């Protein structure tokens, strides 16, 4: 069953054709730590941007492998687009931007991104 997410102001919205995950990744890199992301990854063909392309800007850092997309109105980064280690395109969904996600029930996988 698909789920939906959005930025805070609602100008950017998307759907993911997958079940809500029970697990999320929490990274301690300088970017993720500051923003408090809880991420889940999905193949790009499961991700559909429903609205807001013109309201998005991109931010790249470190190796520039992830395109961090944020709303220019509210500043929320509800998703990112990147490449998995196997070369496949992925959408990284910030589960904090998915109203249906039960954040307290997620199994959190900690990733030491600060050491990459």
């Amino acid at each position: 069953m698909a789920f939906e997410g959005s930025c805070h102001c609602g100008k950017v919205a998307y759907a993911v054709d997958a079940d809500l995950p029970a697990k999320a990744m929490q990274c301690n890199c300088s970017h993720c730590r500051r923003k408090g992301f809880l991420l889940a990854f999905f193949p790009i063909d499961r991700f559909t941007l429903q609205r807001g392309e013109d309201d998005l800007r991109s931010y790249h850092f470190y190796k520039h492998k992830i395109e961090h997309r944020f709303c220019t109105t509210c500043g929320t980064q509800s998703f990112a687009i990147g490449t998995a280690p196997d070369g496949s395109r992925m959408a990284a969904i910030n589960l904090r931007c998915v109203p249906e996600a039960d954040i307290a029930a997620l199994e959190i996988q900690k990733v030491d991104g600060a050491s990459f």
Side-chain angles (χ1 to χ4, degrees):
M1 172 175 271
F3 63 89
E4 296 180 340
S6 68
C7 66
H8 186 256
C9 72
K11 286 188 174 183
V12 174
Y14 55 85
V16 179
D17 186 18
D19 291 334
L20 273 170
K23 299 178 184 180
M25 183 195 82
Q26 181 181 20
C27 177
N28 68 354
C29 78
S30 62
H31 187 71
C32 293
R33 182 180 69 240
R34 283 174 172 80
K35 294 197 172 186
F37 293 141
L38 291 176
L39 299 172
F41 298 84
F42 299 90
I44 197 68
D45 64 350
R46 300 266 181 167
F47 175 84
T48 302
L49 184 63
Q50 295 174 316
R51 68 177 176 271
E53 180 63 43
D54 292 341
D55 296 297
L56 286 167
R57 293 295 175 270
S58 296
Y59 175 68
H60 295 85
F61 74 106
Y62 190 49
K63 294 183 179 181
H64 294 241
K65 290 188 175 196
I66 300 172
E67 182 181 5
H68 300 273
R69 307 295 310 269
F70 65 94
C71 174
T72 58
T73 299
C74 67
T76 302
Q77 183 185 317
S78 56
F79 71 96
I81 304 297
T83 305
D86 67 2
S88 60
R89 299 284 291 156
M90 302 292 289
I93 303 301
N94 181 2
L95 294 176
R96 293 190 185 276
C97 296
V98 176
E100 295 174 57
D102 182 354
I103 300 300
L106 290 170
E107 179 183 331
I108 304 300
Q109 174 192 0
K110 294 184 178 184
V111 174
D112 186 14
S115 295
F116 292 173

